[in-house]
Amino acid sequence: MAEPRRLLLRPWVRALHRDLGYLAVGLTLVYALSGLAVNHIADWDPNFQNFERTHQLGPLPGDDDAIARAVVEKLSIQEKPTEVYRASDDQLDVVFSKRTLHVNPATGQVIDEGQKPRFLVRVANWLHLNRGKKSWTYIADAYAAGLLFLALSGLFMIPGRKGLLGRGAIFVALGVAIPVAYVQLSGGPEAASSAKRPGR
Amino acid sequence: MAPKLTPEVLSSLARRDLLRAAATGSVLSVLGGSYALAADDDPRTKEKRPDGRPRLPPGQRLISALKPMGGDPGDPSPASFKLKVHGEVAAPFELDFIGLLALPQTEIPLDVHCVTSWSAFDVLWSGVRVSLLAEKAKVKGDARHVIFEAANGYTANVRLAEALAPGVLVAHKANRKPLARAHGTPVRAVVPDLYFWKSAKWLTGIRFVKQDQPGYWETRGYHNHADPWLEERYG
């Protein structure tokens, strides 16, 4: 008599885990890179490199357009301004795509300031923070659900002593304990928002 | 290529802090980033405000210049700038950049405090008081809150009384220089006694409302009020 066929779940779990893992690589890089960048926002601008330079060009005669042309020429700027705007007697703004020249025509002082986007990180941040909204919300939700699947399916990948019945359980417990311990030791969000409030 | 720092930020990099940054910031350096750390031992950090509160709020460190904190940039064009003052007002109006400059100007040194724990003292802001704009718009008696509206849908909510405080400005200059792009050119709000995210950059509107409407960061886990002296960082 033939043995009844056993339903073997583990090979299916492993195959799904493997393929979903491959699929998640790109998005994981995006979120991890952006996470590192934004986590340290107090220390740097994660989206742009900002610059500011001051030039002394001497008196700049003529009308606004002539002044703008002279400044652009003296600073050897190849780009064409998108706007020349007289804000006041001592402020003529020459605006470019990523920089602005704030010109004082009387003194010839030019403040040249602007931003250079950090190519890869800015895009990653834009995705991570879901600035674009729309369909990215669904992709991000699907990715989050995929991570949940990867985490849970990962528990059952390995049988025996290296799996959940042994070494695996220790590491799972450790991984769970880290955030729990941090919240316990730090006092959690309540401590951060209320403990230092005088008179409350 | 090494990242470029503004002269103001460079001046805030003490040697010890630079070494610390070199030790701890390798990941960011690889990414093209840079640390700008606090100036230490400034006697102003021990000062008291006229209201008795410490000049440096708890949990803050003093730096010597404003730091760019990102955000979704708006249109830097002064020619395209429009500021809409509206909502619960009897006389809504709209200002262009020249119109804003034509109003009575205020130049005032103010301290600002970022929720990420840095503070900058005595930033010399130039602009127009929000209270003056409110007066011009004839705010109705039932208005209770002000919503600062900015580019790309960013908003920040402030209680009316706090928005009408003398130091609250619609600013177009910092330290006598036109606002840099990183700081919201051509015009931003400055609400000095609340965490700096309330000071919306790339300002496009001031809306007076009856009921509070939590803004961009307030709906993302940050505190609705944002008092630095109460460390109201998170909701």
Side-chain angles (χ1 to χ4, degrees):
Chain A
M1 187 176 161
E3 255 185 59
R5 292 181 66 186
R6 291 174 59 196
L7 181 61
L8 294 176
L9 276 179
R10 183 162 281 123
W12 281 101
V13 168
R14 290 170 71 96
L16 278 171
H17 187 99
R18 178 198 62 212
D19 290 344
L20 199 58
Y22 287 138
L23 196 63
V25 167
L27 281 171
T28 302
L29 289 175
V30 164
Y31 279 92
L33 183 65
S34 171
L36 279 170
V38 175
N39 207 25
H40 296 276
I41 196 169
D43 303 307
W44 76 327
D45 183 336
N47 291 309
F48 295 97
Q49 287 180 282
N50 301 288
F51 64 89
E52 182 183 310
R53 296 179 280 263
T54 301
H55 308 280
Q56 290 292 345
L57 303 183
L60 297 160
D63 63 16
D64 293 351
D65 286 336
I67 293 170
R69 275 197 304 275
V71 171
V72 167
E73 190 179 318
K74 286 186 179 190
L75 296 180
S76 303
I77 295 171
Q78 304 301 320
E79 189 183 354
K80 193 178 172 191
T82 57
E83 178 180 308
V84 176
Y85 184 82
R86 171 71 76 162
S88 63
D89 286 346
D90 60 1
Q91 186 182 334
L92 178 75
D93 287 344
V94 184
V95 182
F96 299 86
S97 167
K98 302 290 181 209
R99 74 201 288 194
T100 300
L101 307 174
H102 304 284
V103 182
N104 184 330
T107 65
Q109 177 176 280
V110 178
I111 299 169
D112 176 6
E113 58 90 7
Q115 301 183 301
K116 291 179 183 169
R118 299 181 194 278
F119 169 64
L120 191 59
V121 187
R122 188 187 179 204
V123 171
N125 293 339
W126 185 79
L127 291 171
H128 192 159
L129 297 174
N130 196 6
R131 297 276 196 193
K133 299 287 179 191
K134 299 177 184 168
S135 56
W136 187 255
T137 303
Y138 302 109
I139 297 169
D141 284 350
Y143 174 63
L147 285 186
L148 285 172
F149 177 82
L150 284 174
L152 294 174
S153 61
L155 296 174
F156 305 104
M157 294 277 285
I158 306 291
R161 291 171 56 192
K162 289 189 177 174
L164 260 191
L165 297 177
R167 180 190 180 93
I170 295 169
F171 280 100
V172 168
L174 188 62
V176 171
I178 288 170
V180 170
Y182 185 84
V183 170
Q184 283 296 318
L185 294 173
S186 68
E190 290 306 317
S193 62
S194 67
K196 292 175 183 171
R197 290 182 191 179
R200 290 193 183 182
Chain B
M1 186 179 154
K4 289 175 184 169
L5 297 174
T6 63
E8 291 159 319
V9 174
L10 271 175
S11 70
S12 74
L13 288 170
R15 182 174 175 274
R16 192 184 69 187
D17 291 336
L18 192 62
L19 291 173
R20 199 170 87 202
T24 61
S26 55
V27 171
L28 292 174
S29 297
V30 166
L31 296 173
S34 57
Y35 274 79
L37 299 173
D40 292 333
D41 307 327
D42 189 311
R44 294 177 298 168
T45 61
K46 306 289 187 291
E47 290 175 356
K48 296 273 187 193
R49 289 160 48 106
D51 60 14
R53 293 186 290 182
R55 191 171 179 190
L56 187 69
Q60 296 294 107
R61 61 184 182 175
L62 181 64
I63 64 169
S64 58
L66 293 176
K67 279 208 282 187
M69 298 302 295
D72 206 358
D75 185 350
S77 158
S80 306
F81 172 76
K82 290 276 186 291
L83 180 72
K84 192 175 174 186
V85 181
H86 61 126
E88 295 298 319
V89 298
F93 63 92
E94 200 171 89
L95 285 172
D96 60 14
F97 196 63
I98 292 289
L100 184 76
L101 297 185
L103 292 173
Q105 300 290 305
T106 296
E107 186 178 74
I108 182 172
L110 297 168
D111 302 343
V112 295
H113 312 288
C114 179
V115 71
T116 60
S117 296
W118 61 262
S119 293
F121 286 173
D122 295 317
V123 180
L124 190 60
W125 297 98
S126 306
V128 175
R129 291 185 198 278
V130 171
S131 59
L132 188 146
L133 298 173
E135 193 181 332
K136 186 174 157 67
K138 297 184 171 54
V139 177
K140 293 178 182 172
D142 50 3
R144 294 284 178 273
H145 301 269
V146 173
I147 310 299
F148 289 106
E149 301 171 327
N152 304 306
Y154 183 93
T155 57
N157 56 321
V158 175
R159 296 171 186 169
L160 181 67
E162 290 174 319
L164 300 184
V168 179
L169 297 181
V170 169
H172 52 83
K173 282 186 179 170
N175 295 324
R176 296 198 169 133
K177 291 193 282 192
L179 285 181
R181 290 186 178 222
H183 297 299
T185 190
V187 169
R188 73 175 299 165
V190 178
V191 188
D193 283 358
L194 298 177
Y195 281 124
F196 209 30
W197 85 77
K198 297 285 189 180
S199 299
K201 297 186 278 191
W202 303 288
L203 193 66
T204 59
I206 299 176
R207 181 159 45 95
F208 295 87
V209 294
K210 292 179 192 173
Q211 292 191 322
D212 198 9
Q213 295 171 17
Y216 181 86
W217 286 115
E218 293 80 7
T219 54
R220 286 166 172 77
Y222 284 81
H223 201 282
N224 195 51
H225 183 218
D227 184 331
W229 288 270
L230 302 178
E231 288 209 70
E232 292 174 336
R233 297 177 197 273
Y234 308 108

